Every structure is written in C-alpha cells, then in structure tokens.
Amino acid sequence: MCLATVYRQNDDSVIFRNVSRIDVDGEKVILRDIMGEEQVVEGKILSVDLANSIVKLICE
C-alpha cells in the first residue's frame, strides 16, 4: 500500500499524513487517511510524486 503525506506548497507545512485516498470536488480536495479520518482543504493539487509519496497542494 502506498500512503502519502500532503504538504502546503507555499511553506511545505504538513497538512495530512498517511493519506490513502484523495478526491477532488471543484475547489475542494478531500483527504482520507488509513484510519478513515477525513480532512477537506480548499485548494488545488499542484503535484503528485508517487515514488516519494508526496502530494503538494496550493491552498487558498
């Protein structure tokens, strides 16, 4: 299983760890971790690095 850490693009701060699912609904990015916890972030996906399990978001 490949889990990701999601970072804020402007300062590289961690938004969410152990993310197993990402859904996009318009300007909302819905993150879910392996325990089923969910976090909704206003923004857009900037990049996804699958080899290093890194996702960067541009947050509003």
Side-chain angles (χ1 to χ4, degrees):
M1 181 185 302
C2 193
L3 301 174
T5 301
V6 179
Y7 296 89
R8 191 176 314 272
Q9 182 266 341
N10 61 345
D11 63 2
D12 279 337
S13 62
V14 174
I15 296 172
F16 213 38
R17 295 185 191 275
N18 298 319
V19 174
S20 61
R21 182 179 175 107
I22 300 173
D23 293 301
V24 177
D25 182 13
E27 295 289 320
K28 295 180 183 175
V29 180
I30 302 141
L31 308 168
R32 289 186 190 93
D33 72 5
I34 56 174
M35 300 302 289
E37 296 287 327
E38 184 175 288
Q39 185 169 343
V40 178
V41 179
E42 292 283 335
K44 297 178 183 177
I45 295 174
L46 175 67
S47 65
V48 177
D49 179 350
L50 296 176
N52 294 302
S53 301
I54 295 172
V55 177
K56 291 203 176 188
L57 299 183
I58 299 174
C59 298
E60 314 213 344

